[in-house]
Amino acid sequence: MAETIAAQQAAAQAPSEADIEALLDELNVSSESNLISVLQDVQARFGYLPAPALEEISRRTKIRLSRVYGVVSFYAQFYTEPHGRHMIRCCRGTACYVRGGQRVIDAVKAELGVEEEQTTQDMMFTLQTVACLGACALGPLMVVDSTYHGNMDPRKALRVLQMYQEDSG
Amino acid sequence: MQSEMTTDRIMADEVSLSIDDTEVTVPAGTTVFLAAERVGIDIPHLCYEPDLGLPPSSSCRLCLVEVEGARTLVPSCSYAASAGIVVRTDTDEIREIRRMVIELLLSNHPHDCLTCEKSGDCDLQKYAYELGVKAPEYAGELIPPQPVQDGPAISYDRTKCILCGRCVEVCHNVEVTGAIDFQERGFDTHIGLPPGLPRDQSGCTECGNCIDVCPTGALSFVGAEGKGRTWELGRVATICPYCGVGCTIVLNTRDNRVVKVTGQPGLGINHGWLCVKGRFGFDFINHEGRLTGPLIRRDGELVPASWDEALDFVAEHLTQIKQEFGPDSIAALASAKCTNEENYIMQKFMRAVIGTNNVDHCARLCHASTVAGLAQAFGSGAMTNSIEDLDQATTIFVIGSNTTECHPIIGAAIKRAAQRGVPLIVADPRTIELTEYAAVHLRQRHGTDVALVNGLMNVILSEGLEDEQFIAERTEGFAEFRASVEPYTPELAERITGVAAEDIIRAARLYAQAPAAAIIYSMGITQHTTGTDNVLSLANLALLTGNLGKRGAGVNPLRGQNNVQGACDMGGLPNVFPGYQKVDDDEARAKFEVVWGSSLPASSGLTVVEMINAAAKGAVKALYVMGENPMLSDPHQSHVEEALKKLGLLIVQDIFLTETAQLADVVLPATSFAEKEGTFTNTERRVQRVRKALEPPGEARGDWQIICELARRMGSEMSYSGAAAIQDEIAFLTPSYKGITYDRLEQGSLQWPCPDRDHPGTPILHVGRFTRGLGKFHAVEFIPAQELPDDDYPFALSTGRILQHFHTGTMSRRSEVLGALVSVGVIEINPQDAERLGIADGQPVRVSSRRGEIEINAVVTDRVTPGTLFLAFHYREAPANRLTIAALDPVAKIPEFKVCAVKIEPVW
């Protein structure tokens, strides 16, 4: 059931062929383009990299589709499935862990009803855990989109989530 | 030693170094790995394989060596040798590092060598043994076993993959398909197609070259599983029986069966690379449908007979027909599938024993116009340059050749050239794979090639891009030719061909301004009523720009069958003896009469289509068919069937009961290429040895042995100790084959002309002088195709081949893999036409011409232009030649397979 809803939402969200063409025209994608920049720009627009967009990028850049997917699947920053409007990245690195980072992660999971790398049914949040965010002094650390929320505990973390929910609501 | 290596004795671009205390001198830039190889030191390596001709990736770290004074150990596969360096390849430290590399690889590798297909042929196993690695040192997480088989042939077992990247390199830079690449990262890294894409939609051509280069058992051919491991297999290198490229293949056999076909890196003109047909199209050899004994028609049924019965039957009837109706009432089809020796014997039998020149073969249906046209223009009707020459071409012009499907190994070479930046001009009414790589795609209307090429030449002349010196010194007939192309301005050419004038101008400049431009063409040029004219036009184009007699240039017809060149060379044609010596040349005839001990007819015999017509009229009473299938290969099928049924005697000698054999009075079981010794001559005039790997099935016999036995029963002794002895007779009678012996062929192939025993063969024709003296220009006017679309039959149908199948399917459609890849035929129709006629993709349609109709499924695709259809001729259940027209080129007598008028309608 959950999957069906996610699939429906994904379908609703999937950009049309015309959207893709228009964006790639705008980005002037050609065999001279830098693949990673193009992928970043396309993901910035659509939130993820839809398969038809990758096929069209492959055609225009003359980079084989197998290689395009090779690059996409190599970098953690790229998504081939739609993800939530907000990306939550919780640190599971040593410094955060000793200060209770795992409890923060557990609380977020429980609150949102998702596991790592999963997206909430309402497509609001995607949860990721990462090895280090490079700001150990602020640990436990939770980054939402590009905003760093430091010194987290389960209660504070839930308040942060609530803030984003209210903003969107 | 050292004193002899004084610097002044070493060429300026050479360097001298020491490897394991041995001095070696190599050209500057040579890697340490290759330098070591020269002195017999084999440095362990996994990711690099020099025989593949691929650049090193230096990722496996197994070939590390010590260079005195260097900061660290260096990878020998990419480290360039420099003067005076001292290299050690086998120290204790190096061995320790190599052992660790192997241990790490084995820590995440199943230890199932007991049942692994690759055991005995596995580099990882070999190095583990050599380095004495027993149990893996580093226990850790294992990749769960998950072999993936996503097609009929290729299986990928990630657990055995060491991520060396050889398969990726081959796929991207040799086959130039790029279907696979590294996916994901870290521990999850694997080799894969784009996720979610089935193999048949990924661009993968299933060439299987990735299997051959895999150093472990990660990539394998599923069809060979459990059928024998490397030490149990016999290996025989021979020549592929499919197209005219002439690739060297290795038959891996066990218990008189072919288990698999492999390429051997570096071997043959294909350098070990194969295509899907060459690798997977071998099931026909051991097929249960092979003919194992003679058959004679009794009371309407073909029933088994002994060889004595069958041969006596044929000898008696041929003798009787010859006596009653004369020798010219008997005709034969030689075979582009059989060896040179067999074709030689067949034409000798017809000329010397029967006494007729009625011998022809399917070359008539593919390149008769090439043989006629190029002989008129240059004096020799064969490919002027070599396949390897494509590496030197600075522009390549492909016209009427779907090279990547019909001659895949040459197609890949063209793609590699394009990838290097060589401009490619493709002229083809259809969109083909090569058009993706083309600088210009000229999409001419069917049958307008002369107008197109005249248009190109008009531009070249009006812009002064012709090679004046070459024209003045090496050609004749220029003035008349020049006048003939004057009217063909790009604008006129555009009106006739439908190709934009500006594209014609661009293509003309690209071709004419290149220092060496190669023309590649095939049946899109030849299979027209204007086939000879088309060929002459291309000859004009090359003459005009001086693109002959030099590397990277030339006029290069790609021959369709494995030995169609050889069958022509051997005189399997009605007007010439072996080596194109004319039957009406008294001197030539006298020579053959002396050697063959028989008086020979002086007038040319009948061509393929003329034989069929004569049979229909009752003038030809007996037809002897060796390894051909005119029921499917010849135009206007119902007419062919009627003619064959009218014959008094139809003898079919083949390996299968083909559609033609089913009509025969006598069927003689022959041997396949895998069961005989002989030679094939490939498209570039290269004579190569075919070697026996298997015993023939049942009582099947070699073609030349059968014919010699027949001759004996007809009172003419034809007896040879073996194929080599036949070649000796060929060499004696054929100037261009004079220097070719089996002893020499064991050392390597030879390209004719090879006029004496010391001659190295001729890779490029017409260097300095044309075979006929001067190159001759011909004034050629555009003439439209014989049957154009009209109100009743509004579509132009073109026929051809596809990658996965071959000709009438006798061989390829018996292959499990090829059959699984493409099981049924389709007809291609443009989306505009499909919509107008209410034809959906995949829907059955009825296609009819004035001569017949077929039912087949439609594929809606813009590969074809509106108003045109494309259909391959491989399918007996939907034979293209039920539709085609038997209109002939007046000179070459080749039928117009490429254009006929049809209509198409959906079947509900």
Side-chain angles (χ1 to χ4, degrees):
Chain A
M1 189 58 193
E3 271 177 14
T4 322
I5 292 168
Q8 281 167 355
Q9 279 167 338
Q13 217 177 317
S16 70
E17 223 170 272
D19 292 341
I20 292 168
E21 297 273 344
L23 176 59
L24 297 184
D25 286 347
E26 185 188 318
L27 297 171
N28 206 5
V29 176
S30 74
S31 56
E32 309 291 309
S33 303
N34 177 309
L35 177 63
I36 291 178
S37 311
V38 170
L39 293 172
Q40 286 170 332
D41 290 344
V42 170
Q43 183 163 290
R45 175 70 59 91
F46 300 132
Y48 73 111
L49 295 166
L54 293 178
E55 283 162 28
E56 190 55 29
I57 290 169
S58 164
R59 263 192 293 279
R60 294 194 185 203
T61 56
K62 295 195 187 294
I63 296 171
R64 304 285 185 191
L65 190 58
S66 63
R67 188 140 292 173
V68 171
Y69 270 103
V71 170
V72 169
S73 62
F74 182 85
Y75 291 102
Q77 61 172 308
F78 293 126
Y79 305 98
T80 52
E81 299 290 335
H83 56 85
R85 280 173 59 185
H86 301 292
M87 176 64 65
I88 305 167
R89 280 176 294 162
C90 291
C91 183
R92 56 184 152 77
T94 314
C96 290
Y97 185 82
V98 297
R99 295 196 200 170
Q102 188 59 45
R103 281 188 289 124
V104 174
I105 295 171
D106 291 342
V108 173
K109 282 183 183 173
E111 169 67 17
L112 299 179
V114 294
E115 291 298 310
E116 287 164 34
E117 297 299 333
Q118 286 184 348
T119 300
T120 56
Q121 284 195 13
D122 60 3
M123 296 301 284
M124 184 66 76
F125 295 106
T126 297
L127 174 64
Q128 278 190 335
T129 64
V130 295
C132 183
L133 287 158
C136 304
L138 297 176
L141 199 62
M142 177 169 91
V143 175
V144 181
D145 299 334
S146 51
T147 309
Y148 281 61
H149 302 274
N151 297 314
M152 286 288 112
D153 61 30
R155 203 169 42 85
K156 283 191 197 162
L158 297 189
R159 217 181 297 148
V160 171
L161 295 185
Q162 212 173 357
M163 200 171 73
Y164 282 92
Q165 271 160 336
E166 279 163 10
D167 277 1
S168 307
Chain B
M1 276 299 283
Q2 190 76 51
S3 59
E4 285 174 24
M5 289 284 178
T6 50
T7 45
D8 57 352
R9 289 192 52 193
I10 296 169
M11 307 269 289
D13 52 354
E14 291 196 328
V15 294
S16 185
L17 66 156
S18 155
I19 303 178
D20 293 347
D21 299 323
T22 305
E23 285 295 326
V24 52
T25 303
V26 291
T30 306
T31 61
V32 168
F33 185 98
L34 293 176
E37 202 176 48
R38 282 211 179 179
V39 286
I41 298 169
D42 181 23
I43 300 174
H45 55 287
L46 277 171
C47 64
Y48 179 51
E49 175 54 66
D51 289 339
L52 303 181
L54 302 173
S57 67
S58 309
S59 60
C60 74
R61 314 314 279 176
L62 204 59
C63 75
L64 292 180
V65 294
E66 180 190 297
V67 174
E68 247 174 47
R71 202 166 44 88
T72 58
L73 299 179
V74 299
S76 60
C77 63
S78 57
Y79 193 83
S82 53
I85 59 170
V86 176
V87 179
R88 282 184 212 294
T89 71
D90 198 15
T91 65
D92 285 347
E93 185 196 1
I94 291 172
R95 283 184 77 80
E96 196 46 50
I97 287 174
R98 286 182 186 147
R99 199 172 291 124
M100 183 188 278
V101 167
I102 298 297
E103 280 168 353
L104 284 168
L105 287 171
L106 286 176
S107 71
N108 186 15
H109 190 100
H111 307 122
D112 64 349
C113 299
L114 281 174
T115 50
C116 179
E117 288 294 323
K118 192 75 173 180
S119 186
D121 192 25
C122 171
D123 289 348
L124 188 58
Q125 189 188 41
K126 178 176 85 172
Y127 292 128
Y129 180 82
E130 283 178 13
L131 294 164
V133 177
K134 295 207 180 278
E137 195 82 354
Y138 310 97
E141 194 184 342
L142 291 175
I143 298 168
Q146 46 185 346
V148 176
Q149 189 204 330
D150 52 5
I154 301 171
S155 163
Y156 173 63
D157 184 346
R158 183 179 155 198
T159 61
K160 294 181 181 171
C161 179
I162 60 167
L163 300 171
C164 66
R166 284 185 191 180
C167 54
V168 172
E169 186 65 30
V170 163
C171 193
H172 284 255
N173 296 325
V174 175
E175 182 69 8
V176 198
T177 296
I180 54 170
D181 206 342
F182 291 94
Q183 303 295 330
E184 304 197 44
R185 70 178 173 279
F187 197 69
D188 296 323
T189 312
H190 60 278
I191 305 295
L193 301 165
L197 209 59
R199 188 170 283 275
D200 59 356
Q201 286 170 34
S202 66
C204 173
T205 60
E206 309 255 0
C207 68
N209 289 319
C210 52
I211 300 174
D212 275 353
V213 302
C214 182
T216 72
L219 282 161
S220 63
F221 167 44
V222 290
E225 255 166 45
K227 295 192 178 153
R229 293 201 290 187
T230 183
W231 58 85
E232 299 170 302
L233 301 178
R235 275 196 191 76
V236 175
T238 188
I239 302 301
C240 179
Y242 283 98
C243 79
V245 177
C247 297
T248 297
I249 58 175
V250 178
L251 299 178
N252 294 249
T253 64
R254 189 186 180 195
D255 299 336
N256 210 41
R257 294 187 71 82
V258 176
V259 171
K260 62 182 175 184
V261 171
T262 50
Q264 186 169 316
L267 194 66
I269 57 108
N270 49 316
H271 302 290
W273 310 120
L274 301 179
C275 78
V276 64
K277 287 191 291 284
R279 186 179 302 277
F280 299 124
F282 61 84
D283 292 336
F284 76 91
I285 301 169
N286 296 110
H287 196 272
E288 58 188 15
R290 278 288 298 273
L291 292 168
T292 54
L295 305 170
I296 296 181
R297 189 171 298 278
R298 293 208 166 99
D299 303 325
E301 295 286 313
L302 281 170
V303 295
S306 71
W307 270 110
D308 273 336
E309 282 174 302
L311 290 167
D312 283 341
F313 182 95
V314 174
E316 276 164 31
H317 281 76
L318 283 179
T319 306
Q320 189 196 336
I321 291 171
K322 181 180 162 183
Q323 277 166 0
E324 198 171 333
F325 302 102
D328 289 336
S329 64
I330 301 172
L333 294 179
S335 174
K337 294 242 80 70
C338 291
T339 62
N340 286 327
E341 292 75 7
E342 289 160 342
N343 279 291
Y344 174 82
I345 293 297
M346 173 54 107
Q347 59 87 36
K348 178 178 174 181
F349 172 79
M350 289 306 287
R351 294 191 157 112
V353 180
I354 303 290
T356 178
N357 282 316
N358 286 343
V359 56
D360 200 10
H361 71 284
C362 69
R364 186 66 47 198
L365 309 175
C366 60
H367 271 294
S369 30
T370 292
V371 175
L374 294 188
Q376 280 178 40
F378 308 146
S380 180
M383 183 161 163
T384 64
N385 288 50
S386 298
I387 296 167
E388 219 175 64
D389 253 36
L390 287 173
D391 293 346
Q392 308 288 318
T394 51
T395 285
I396 299 176
F397 177 28
V398 177
I399 178 163
S401 163
N402 184 5
T403 326
T404 55
E405 294 206 58
C406 300
H407 301 89
I409 296 300
I410 297 177
I414 295 172
K415 288 193 287 181
R416 289 198 293 273
Q419 216 173 28
R420 284 197 305 272
V422 173
L424 175 64
I425 307 163
V426 176
D428 201 300
R430 278 206 307 158
T431 300
I432 55 176
E433 191 189 352
L434 282 183
T435 52
E436 281 173 42
Y437 298 82
V440 195
H441 178 196
L442 309 170
R443 216 169 177 184
Q444 79 274 38
R445 292 192 186 107
H446 293 59
T448 62
D449 304 271
V450 167
L452 178 68
V453 179
N454 277 353
L456 294 173
M457 293 189 291
N458 178 291
V459 174
I460 290 169
L461 283 166
S462 65
E463 299 194 358
L465 301 175
E466 73 272 26
D467 185 337
E468 283 172 12
Q469 193 188 351
F470 187 89
I471 295 167
E473 290 172 4
R474 306 245 353 236
T475 71
E476 60 183 335
F478 179 65
E480 193 197 341
F481 154 76
R482 177 173 200 137
S484 76
V485 298
E486 243 155 47
Y488 290 88
T489 59
E491 293 69 32
L492 176 70
E494 175 175 337
R495 279 202 295 283
I496 300 172
T497 64
V499 177
E502 61 198 83
D503 285 342
I504 294 176
I505 293 168
R506 240 179 94 213
R509 289 177 187 159
L510 269 179
Y511 177 81
Q513 288 172 342
I519 298 173
I520 303 278
Y521 76 87
S522 197
M523 260 127 272
I525 281 296
T526 59
Q527 289 179 335
H528 290 280
T529 46
T530 58
T532 307
D533 287 350
N534 292 347
V535 172
L536 288 172
S537 290
L538 293 176
N540 287 340
L541 180 61
L543 287 171
L544 182 63
T545 49
N547 273 310
L548 285 159
K550 64 181 182 189
R551 288 208 70 175
V555 180
N556 301 297
L558 303 183
R559 309 296 303 252
Q561 295 257 24
N562 56 321
N563 197 34
V564 66
Q565 182 66 51
C568 290
D569 296 345
M570 290 303 109
L573 299 171
N575 58 337
V576 290
F577 293 120
Y580 306 96
Q581 303 171 77
K582 293 205 171 352
V583 294
D584 58 8
D585 175 344
D586 294 339
E587 205 179 313
R589 208 169 55 254
K591 178 173 77 174
F592 282 92
E593 284 179 341
V594 169
V595 176
W596 290 351
S598 163
S599 76
L600 301 172
S603 56
S604 291
L606 299 173
T607 61
V608 169
V609 179
E610 289 170 333
M611 282 177 197
I612 297 296
N613 290 342
K617 285 194 206 111
V620 162
K621 304 284 183 195
L623 182 64
Y624 186 176
V625 179
M626 171 172 84
E628 296 226 335
N629 190 8
M631 271 294 288
L632 282 190
S633 65
D634 291 14
H636 194 172
Q637 191 190 48
S638 58
H639 176 63
V640 176
E641 181 169 358
E642 185 191 322
L644 294 179
K645 283 183 173 161
K646 206 160 173 192
L647 287 165
L649 177 66
L650 175 59
I651 310 152
V652 175
Q653 184 167 308
D654 208 306
I655 61 172
F656 287 106
L657 197 66
T658 61
E659 290 72 15
T660 307
Q662 287 164 25
L663 302 176
D665 299 293
V666 187
V667 178
L668 305 173
T671 51
S672 79
F673 81 107
E675 296 137 16
K676 60 192 171 197
E677 303 287 343
T679 54
F680 290 157
T681 305
N682 82 345
T683 188
E684 49 166 5
R685 300 169 278 107
R686 185 182 297 278
V687 183
Q688 309 193 91
R689 274 285 270 122
V690 175
R691 295 184 182 85
K692 180 173 171 172
L694 301 174
E695 289 304 322
E699 296 177 31
R701 292 185 186 177
D703 290 280
W704 68 260
Q705 286 94 335
I706 300 172
I707 300 169
C708 286
E709 188 58 33
L710 262 184
R712 196 179 63 76
R713 283 165 205 248
M714 291 178 73
S716 303
E717 198 60 37
M718 276 170 68
S719 157
Y720 299 88
S721 60
I726 302 176
Q727 170 53 32
D728 290 343
E729 185 172 313
I730 295 168
F732 183 71
L733 288 164
T734 313
S736 54
Y737 277 66
K738 194 168 178 201
I740 298 174
T741 65
Y742 272 43
D743 285 347
R744 289 192 71 187
L745 291 175
E746 282 306 322
Q747 312 306 313
S749 54
L750 288 164
Q751 281 173 285
W752 67 257
C754 178
D756 62 63
R757 295 272 166 112
D758 300 317
H759 194 283
T762 310
I764 305 175
L765 295 179
H766 317 304
V767 178
R769 183 184 179 280
F770 283 93
T771 310
R772 68 181 292 280
L774 292 174
K776 189 167 171 29
F777 280 104
H778 290 80
V780 183
E781 293 292 341
F782 165 68
I783 304 167
Q786 176 95 3
E787 187 184 66
L788 291 171
D790 55 23
D791 289 347
D792 294 335
Y793 295 94
F795 283 88
L797 172 75
S798 195
T799 66
R801 299 207 268 123
I802 63 166
L803 172 66
Q804 296 83 357
H805 285 296
F806 192 75
H807 286 84
T808 65
T810 306
M811 289 156 49
S812 66
R813 294 193 83 197
R814 286 182 166 88
S815 155
E816 224 170 274
V817 171
L818 300 177
L821 289 172
V822 177
S823 57
V824 294
V826 292
I827 189 162
E828 293 180 357
I829 181 169
N830 185 275
Q832 286 180 27
D833 294 325
E835 196 184 338
R836 188 165 48 81
L837 297 170
I839 294 169
D841 195 39
Q843 187 183 356
V845 291
R846 185 178 301 115
V847 188
S848 42
S849 75
R850 289 184 175 83
R851 292 155 295 278
E853 65 172 46
I854 60 169
E855 280 188 18
I856 193 164
N857 292 340
V859 161
V860 178
T861 168
D862 52 16
R863 276 164 64 96
V864 291
T865 49
T868 67
L869 304 169
F870 176 82
L871 174 62
F873 71 101
H874 312 299
Y875 312 102
R876 73 186 77 83
E877 65 280 13
N881 287 322
R882 206 173 277 169
L883 307 171
T884 51
I885 185 167
L888 301 184
D889 176 285
V891 180
K893 309 288 170 68
I894 190 170
E896 188 147 59
F897 288 113
K898 290 300 182 217
V899 197
C900 74
V902 297
K903 64 182 172 192
I904 181 168
E905 56 204 337
V907 177
W908 299 104

